[in-house]
Amino acid sequence: MSYWFFFNSIVFIYASWQVLQHFSYQPTYTHILFGFLGLLFFLFNWTRHAVFSTIRTSSNRPAKIRWVNLSKVIRPYHRWIGTSALVMIIIHAVLIIQRYGIYWTSTKMLSGLFALTTLIAVVLSGWYRLVKPSGWIRRLHLRLGLLLFVLIVLHLWF
Ligand code: HEM
Ligand code: HEM
């Protein structure tokens, strides 16, 4: 099993806890709900990396076949879940900016804007990878995904 399953679960638990805290003191929380949905969609797609790593490193053949089959079932949804994550986060950003305006000095806002820019790059590289697969675009899609993971952790932390 890849250690990425563990990291992804920690981020999921931490974000759920933050979101529940928002719900307990904010009268309106639609902006938070869209951020959380975008995060869930991202984590679902990012877990593909954990699955691929497990398939590559596992020596247990029946387990490997099970992971490969699961991966095949999920494959057609990957692109739409990734694109929906972008739509959710754009709505999150619009609602936040309507509510608070843009604060260039806020680390929460800056980390969010960097994460959004990276998410756009992940989605574009994903579509390009689908149309014209090659080694460099595979690496780019994966590295942008990793960068996005780090930026989202910072966004939740600030
Ligand atoms: C991939 C991109 C993004 C994800 C996954 C995401 C996710 C989240 C989540 C789950 C929350 C609620 C938990 C918390 O407060 O930590 C949140 C809050 C927040 N996000 Fe984002 N976000 C993203 C992009 C953005 C962008 C682009 C902006 C700026 C326009 C932004 C600004 C904020 C702000 C200001 C809050 C705090 C809201 C409040 O306290 O009422 N986020 N985000
Ligand atoms: C939240 C956004 C996304 C994330 C985090 C993400 C992440 C990943 C990861 C981790 C992999 C496995 C990498 C590897 O080891 O090769 C992958 C594969 C792939 N991704 Fe994405 N992705 C996202 C969105 C998209 C979108 C919108 C598309 C559009 C078509 C896409 C197309 C692909 C393709 C074609 C593969 C190759 C494997 C397969 O066909 O399943 N991705 N992605």
Side-chain angles (χ1 to χ4, degrees), residues 38 41-50 52-53 56 71 75-76 78-86 119 122-131 138 141-142 145 148:
F41 285 8
F42 161 75
L43 279 180
F44 184 86
N45 266 8
W46 181 241
T47 301
R48 197 162 180 81
H49 177 51
F52 277 25
S53 302
R56 270 195 296 269
S71 178
R75 193 170 185 255
H78 178 82
R79 64 197 76 160
W80 301 117
I81 290 175
T83 310
S84 307
L86 179 58
L119 178 59
V122 171
V123 170
L124 288 179
S125 63
W127 282 105
Y128 189 81
R129 181 179 175 174
L130 187 75
V131 179
R138 186 191 99 83
H141 189 58
L142 189 61
L148 182 54

Side-chain angles (χ1 to χ4, degrees), residues 39-103:
L39 176 85
L40 289 187
F41 285 8
F42 161 75
L43 279 180
F44 184 86
N45 266 8
W46 181 241
T47 301
R48 197 162 180 81
H49 177 51
V51 172
F52 277 25
S53 302
T54 307
I55 294 171
R56 270 195 296 269
T57 53
S58 168
S59 52
N60 179 342
R61 211 178 136 71
K64 216 170 175 148
I65 292 170
R66 248 181 285 128
W67 283 114
V68 170
N69 286 339
L70 178 72
S71 178
K72 275 190 194 146
V73 173
I74 289 164
R75 193 170 185 255
Y77 305 107
H78 178 82
R79 64 197 76 160
W80 301 117
I81 290 175
T83 310
S84 307
L86 179 58
V87 174
M88 298 297 156
I89 295 304
I90 289 174
I91 299 175
H92 170 67
V94 169
L95 292 176
I96 295 266
I97 292 168
Q98 273 179 353
R99 198 179 161 94
Y100 302 114
I102 290 198
Y103 281 96

